[in-house]
């Protein structure tokens, strides 16, 4: 296997990162994975359930489809094992390859290993590695060694996802049942399941189980394959091997250039020529030493001390080639440069800064300012301030002036407050009065007139409550339905659908909506809206004026 041709980035990952890698592979190659699964699964599901219908044993049909799940996991594993090398097979290629691919190590997963919680992690060992039967046990133990916990948790997590999908599909059926009939429908469904379940219900339940397993199964196989790749990377250092292989490829491409550079830049000839012509004569070296001593004596000052110059290779007599190497001919060019760099090193010739205190009281004549060179030298001109600096200075002074003018203009407002004798205004806090909403039990005949009186008295929510209660009573009379005590707005709206007149239904929905806005959201209608609502209700429901 050429691991350097893998289409995924191999590195040491944690267990859950490896699981995410496997699910990402499933999402990337979704069509190539689910197409052969559906092509094989749909005919197999139809055949198994047809036999179960004939034998009146739908429970065995579900169990057989559950037992054959490793067959579909095998399809997903084949697609991913080829796709990570950039060779994504088609659906027909995947189905044809199952006749001769991994047959010797697979049958255990349809037998005693069917209940293993590590099936997704260990199936690649049998189907992809091709080890001898006596070596597979040790190989499986090595793979499981660092991923046992993640493999078990992965199995139970996928089982939980399948159960959630099945329960959600069953619950979705009851979402289409009206709320009033939900309890009766639930009891009827439970009685049907317990006593004599019809064939169509069992077929639908088997279909839901198979669809949930078909949806979650490839993700389970892909996550196990990701754990398997991560264990191989940890055990066999695949990432390091890939790095070395890529480095070898780059070096092989650059090898001709390196050989050419070594041939052209080999310093053998120049070194021999330099050794033959660079040995200095003893007489010339002696003259050079004498000149160096004379230069050192010439630098003596009046007190007999020497001005110590910075020691370099050129002015140090001990660094001559004759003094170091004797009379043997040597190449001093490289040595000369090395010694010069050594003397230039700040660690070899460090410098330091010395500061000292002096008295500032000096003679008046000594404290005279030195004349400006620009005043004595007519060729030098005094540099004035630049124009941008002058403009910035003018802007700043202008800003200060504007600020002073603003402060002076607003002084009557802030000066009294700054002194503390200004009277502060106190805002009048309005007291929120919230009356208790009570829907009246007995509705007066003139409900609209009584509601207008409550609205003018400043009790708007009581007025709306009276209109709502009167509308509910009129609605129940026209719908010929008796509402239970404490009926909610939703129950009243469902009963209002029985009124024959559509105008009555829309008007009742309008008063219910306005009442809910006022009772629960605190949103009241305007005076004109309330008066129009009361007049419409009085005319539509024929209340007494």
């Amino acid at each position: 296997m050429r691991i350097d041709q893998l289409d995924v980035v191999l590195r040491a990952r944690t267990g859950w990162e490896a699981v995410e890698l496997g699910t990402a592979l499933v999402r990337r190659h979704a069509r190539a994975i689910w197409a052969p699964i559906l092509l094989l699964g749909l005919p197999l599901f139809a055949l198994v359930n047809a036999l179960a219908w004939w034998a009146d044993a739908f429970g065995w049909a579900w169990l057989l489809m559950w037992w054959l799940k490793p067959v579909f996991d095998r399809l997903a594993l084949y697609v991913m094992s080829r796709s990570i090398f950039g060779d994504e097979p088609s659906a027909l290629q995947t189905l044809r390859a199952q006749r001769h691919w991994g047959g010797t190590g697979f049958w255990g997963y349809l037998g005693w290993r069917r209940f293993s919680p590590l099936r997704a992690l260990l199936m690649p060992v049998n189907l992809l590695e091709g080890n001898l039967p006596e070596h597979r046990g040790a190989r499986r133990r090595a793979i499981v060694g660092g991923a046992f916990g993640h493999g078990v948790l992965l199995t139970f997590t996928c089982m939980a996802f399948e159960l959630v999908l099945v329960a959600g599909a069953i619950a979705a059926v009851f979402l289409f049942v009206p709320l009033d009939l939900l309890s009766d429908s639930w009891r009827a469904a439970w009685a049907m399941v317990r006593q004599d379940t019809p064939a169509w219900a069992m077929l639908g339940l088997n279909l839901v189980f198979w669809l949930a397993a078909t949806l979650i199964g490839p993700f389970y196989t892909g996550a196990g394959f990701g754990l398997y790749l991560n264990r191989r990377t940890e055990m066999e250092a695949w990432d390091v091997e890939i790095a070395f292989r890529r480095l070898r490829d780059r070096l092989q491409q650059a090898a001709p250039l390196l050989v050419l550079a070594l041939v052209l830049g080999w310093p053998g000839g120049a070194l021999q020529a330099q050794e033959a012509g660079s040995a200095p004569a003893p007489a010339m070296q002696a003259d050079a030493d004498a000149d160096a001593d004379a230069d050192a004596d010439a630098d003596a000052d009046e007190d007999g001390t020497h001005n110590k110059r910075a020691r370099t290779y050129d002015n140090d007599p001990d660094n001559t080639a004759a003094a170091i190497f004797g009379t043997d001919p040597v190449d001093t060019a490289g040595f000369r440069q090395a010694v010069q760099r050594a003397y230039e090193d700040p660690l070899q010739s460090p410098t330091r800064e010395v500061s000292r205190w002096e008295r500032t009281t000096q003679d008046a004549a000594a404290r005279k300012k030195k004349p400006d060179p620009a005043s004595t030298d007519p060729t030098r001109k005094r540099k004035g301030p630049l124009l941008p600096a002058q403009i910035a200075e003018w802007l700043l002074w202008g800003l200060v002036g504007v600020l002073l003018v603003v402060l002076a203009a607003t002084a009557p407002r802030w000066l009294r407050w700054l002194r503390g004798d200004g009277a502060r205004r106190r805002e009048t806090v309005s007291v929120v009065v919230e009356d208790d909403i009570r829907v009246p039990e007995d509705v007066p005949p003139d409900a609209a007139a009584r509601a207008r009186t409550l609205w003018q008295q400043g009790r708007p929510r009581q007025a709306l409550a009276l209109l709502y209660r009167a509308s509910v009573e009129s609605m129940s009379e026209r719908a010929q339905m008796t509402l239970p005590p404490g009926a909610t707005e939703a129950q009243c709206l469902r009963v209002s659908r029985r009124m024959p007149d559509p105008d009555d239904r829309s008007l009742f929905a309008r008063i219910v909506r306005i009442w809910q806005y006022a009772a629960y959201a605190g949103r009241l209608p305007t005076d004109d809206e309330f008066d129009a609502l009361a007049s419409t209700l009085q005319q539509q429901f024929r209340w007494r004026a």
Side-chain angles (χ1 to χ4, degrees):
M1 180 176 63
R2 292 295 306 274
I3 60 175
D4 54 341
Q5 297 179 356
L6 287 172
D7 196 20
V8 296
V9 178
L10 290 181
R11 59 178 178 84
R13 292 177 168 88
T14 62
W16 298 120
E17 288 177 342
V19 169
E20 175 59 27
L21 172 64
T23 56
L25 288 175
V26 175
R27 294 193 300 269
R28 180 189 297 180
H29 308 287
R31 177 178 296 180
I33 290 175
W34 269 286
I37 291 178
L38 293 177
L39 288 177
L40 179 63
L42 286 174
L44 184 61
F45 176 81
L47 177 61
V48 170
N49 283 272
L51 293 176
W53 195 323
W54 176 74
D56 196 14
F58 275 101
W60 291 100
W62 170 83
L63 181 61
L64 182 59
M65 293 300 298
W66 175 82
W67 194 270
L68 293 177
K69 283 177 64 176
V71 176
F72 304 102
D73 297 342
R74 173 192 174 99
L75 297 174
L77 181 60
Y78 178 82
V79 174
M80 284 185 289
S81 64
R82 279 11 181 215
S83 299
I84 60 174
F85 292 100
D87 183 19
E88 183 179 277
S90 63
L92 295 179
Q93 290 175 351
T94 303
L95 293 176
R96 290 171 183 170
Q98 303 308 307
R99 294 179 297 179
H100 54 80
W101 180 68
T104 57
F106 172 72
W107 301 111
Y109 292 100
L110 290 177
W112 64 95
R113 292 198 183 96
R114 179 60 186 84
F115 298 99
S116 174
L118 303 171
R119 185 179 76 251
L121 176 60
L122 296 180
M123 188 179 291
V125 178
N126 289 25
L127 300 183
L128 299 179
E129 296 186 2
N131 297 321
L132 296 176
E134 57 269 17
H135 297 160
R136 289 173 188 164
R139 186 63 177 170
R140 284 194 295 267
R141 287 190 294 270
I143 294 295
V144 171
F148 178 82
H150 295 92
V152 174
L153 287 177
L154 173 64
T155 301
F156 286 104
T157 302
C158 292
M159 289 174 57
F161 271 108
E162 290 186 14
L163 292 177
V164 167
L165 289 177
V166 172
I170 296 174
V173 177
F174 292 94
L175 291 178
F176 298 95
V177 179
L179 188 62
D180 298 338
L181 306 177
L182 183 60
S183 58
D184 297 336
S185 301
W186 179 256
R187 284 193 294 269
W190 180 249
M192 180 182 65
V193 172
R194 291 183 59 186
Q195 296 176 1
D196 189 11
T197 306
W200 61 266
M202 294 296 297
L203 180 61
L205 187 62
N206 288 347
L207 179 62
V208 169
F209 274 106
W210 178 73
L211 289 177
T214 303
L215 180 61
I216 302 299
F219 287 103
Y220 173 62
T221 306
F225 184 60
L227 287 173
Y228 169 76
L229 289 178
N230 191 53
R231 285 295 297 153
R232 292 285 301 268
T233 303
E234 293 175 353
M235 295 167 54
E236 303 171 18
W238 277 0
D239 50 348
V240 179
E241 183 178 352
I242 290 175
F244 277 121
R245 288 190 179 186
R246 292 174 179 173
L247 179 61
R248 183 196 62 185
D249 295 339
R250 289 196 297 268
L251 291 178
Q252 286 179 352
Q253 295 176 0
L257 297 178
L258 292 177
V259 172
L260 182 60
L262 289 176
V263 170
L264 295 178
W266 185 259
L271 182 59
Q272 293 177 1
Q274 196 171 21
E275 288 178 354
S278 62
M284 295 175 61
Q285 187 63 40
D287 293 340
D289 295 343
D291 292 340
D293 294 337
D295 293 339
D297 294 337
D299 292 335
D301 56 7
E302 296 178 356
D303 297 334
T305 60
H306 295 275
N307 290 329
K308 295 182 179 179
R309 295 176 297 175
R311 296 185 64 188
T312 61
Y313 178 78
D314 296 331
N315 58 23
D316 194 345
D318 295 332
N319 289 333
T320 60
I324 297 175
F325 298 102
T327 59
D328 297 333
V330 294
D331 176 24
T332 60
F335 179 74
R336 190 189 303 272
Q337 295 177 2
V339 174
Q340 182 66 29
R341 287 195 299 269
Y343 272 101
E344 291 175 356
D345 190 357
L347 297 178
Q348 298 296 331
S349 57
T351 59
R352 62 177 180 173
E353 182 180 354
V354 179
S355 60
R356 61 183 179 179
W357 294 90
E358 293 183 356
R359 294 173 60 89
T360 58
T361 57
Q362 296 178 357
D363 191 19
R367 288 188 286 110
K368 289 182 178 180
K369 295 183 179 180
K370 294 182 181 181
D372 191 1
S375 61
T376 58
D377 190 358
T379 61
R380 300 181 61 184
K381 296 181 179 180
R382 184 182 302 273
K383 295 182 179 180
L386 299 177
L387 182 61
Q390 291 180 348
I391 295 175
E393 183 178 0
W394 295 340
L395 290 177
L396 289 176
W397 281 113
L399 182 62
V400 172
V402 172
L403 182 61
L404 291 177
V405 171
V406 172
L407 290 177
T410 58
R413 296 185 179 182
W414 56 265
L415 189 58
R416 295 177 60 189
W417 173 79
L418 187 63
R419 291 178 179 177
D421 56 352
R424 299 181 180 179
R425 298 180 179 179
R426 296 183 179 180
E427 298 181 356
T428 304
V429 180
S430 59
V431 181
V432 178
V433 179
E434 183 176 355
D435 54 347
D436 187 16
I437 303 177
R438 289 178 296 178
V439 179
E441 295 293 338
D442 299 329
V443 179
D446 53 345
R450 190 70 61 85
R452 289 191 181 94
T453 303
L454 292 174
W455 185 273
Q456 294 174 359
Q457 293 176 357
R459 303 172 66 186
R461 295 203 290 181
Q462 290 291 349
L464 292 174
L466 179 58
L467 290 180
Y468 169 70
R469 182 68 183 86
S471 300
V472 169
E473 184 173 342
S474 300
M475 180 271 299
S476 61
E477 291 177 358
R478 297 194 177 193
Q480 297 180 0
M481 290 287 293
T482 302
L483 294 172
T488 62
E489 291 88 348
Q491 293 175 337
C492 294
L493 285 173
R494 283 195 293 270
V495 173
S496 67
R497 297 170 187 168
R498 299 178 178 269
M499 290 191 296
D501 192 356
D503 295 337
D504 294 345
R505 293 195 296 268
S506 61
L507 181 59
F508 184 77
R510 177 184 172 190
I511 182 58
V512 170
R513 182 171 60 255
I514 294 176
W515 157 248
Q516 288 177 336
Y517 283 161
Y520 306 120
R523 294 172 53 183
L524 299 174
T526 62
D527 295 341
D528 296 337
E529 293 175 350
F530 175 80
D531 188 66
L533 177 64
S535 301
T536 305
L537 289 172
Q538 181 180 358
Q539 181 181 0
Q540 187 75 21
F541 292 141
R542 298 181 179 86
W543 295 343
R544 194 177 68 181

